[in-house]
Amino acid sequence: MTSSEKVAYLRGLMEGLDLKEDDKYAKLFNAVIDTLDELASDVADISEDYVDLTEYVEELDEDLGFVEDMVYGDDDECCDCDCCDDDCECCDDDDFIEVECPACGEQICIDFDAIDEEGQVECPNCGELLEFDIEEGCDCDCCQEEE
């Protein structure tokens, strides 16, 4: 039973009481029933709007997924070698590497662009100079283990 149907039922019960229109209880009941009727109507309108908005958001999500695929391509593969499965950690972010500084022991994320031509970067926590062996080609952990 909907809210509107429940309000109509209450209105019928009130009318069954045979109260006179100028009776103070009849006025109170009529005001309460009218208020409930307006609230039930508002709830029905909000429910309809909610359904419409839900459908619209789902359409936007599908469209955004299509745009993401067009812009970022297929993220299923982290490199062209097809060696990785979906759980490969090298797929998390291709622009950064997370390492532990041997001097201070802190985990730091280093942007590949921040590593200079000699393969060195300074630890932002302690200032220790960290060296990296940067090789061209696939830097995937899976491929590095095979070499």
Side-chain angles (χ1 to χ4, degrees):
M1 185 182 282
T2 67
S3 298
S4 297
E5 291 170 339
K6 289 178 182 179
V7 172
Y9 174 74
L10 290 175
R11 187 178 303 277
L13 286 177
M14 189 197 70
E15 290 172 359
L17 293 175
D18 291 327
L19 297 175
K20 297 178 184 176
E21 287 189 33
D22 57 340
D23 184 27
K24 62 182 177 182
Y25 294 112
K27 289 179 183 178
L28 175 66
F29 286 145
N30 278 326
V32 169
I33 299 269
D34 289 342
T35 302
L36 289 173
D37 195 32
E38 288 179 32
L39 289 173
S41 176
D42 290 344
V43 167
D45 291 344
I46 290 171
S47 294
E48 289 176 18
D49 290 343
Y50 174 76
V51 168
D52 292 342
L53 285 173
T54 301
E55 291 173 1
Y56 182 67
V57 167
E58 288 173 357
E59 288 177 21
L60 282 176
D61 186 44
E62 289 175 14
D63 292 345
L64 181 60
F66 176 74
V67 170
E68 286 175 343
D69 287 344
M70 295 295 292
V71 172
Y72 298 112
D74 190 12
D75 287 342
D76 290 341
E77 300 171 10
C78 64
C79 54
D80 295 330
C81 66
D82 295 331
C83 63
C84 299
D85 17 337
D86 294 334
D87 297 332
C88 180
E89 292 180 15
C90 63
C91 298
D92 291 341
D93 196 342
D94 293 336
D95 296 333
F96 292 91
I97 184 172
E98 185 174 354
V99 296
E100 180 179 330
C101 176
C104 66
E106 291 290 320
Q107 289 286 336
I108 56 174
C109 287
I110 299 174
D111 186 352
F112 280 118
D113 295 336
I115 300 174
D116 63 17
E117 292 177 9
E118 291 84 33
Q120 299 176 339
V121 68
E122 191 174 294
C123 174
N125 295 321
C126 67
E128 178 76 20
L129 190 61
L130 305 175
E131 296 183 16
F132 296 93
D133 185 19
I134 306 296
E135 296 180 12
E136 292 296 319
C138 182
D139 61 343
C140 169
D141 291 338
C142 309
C143 296
Q144 297 298 329
E145 291 173 5
E146 290 175 7
E147 292 178 358

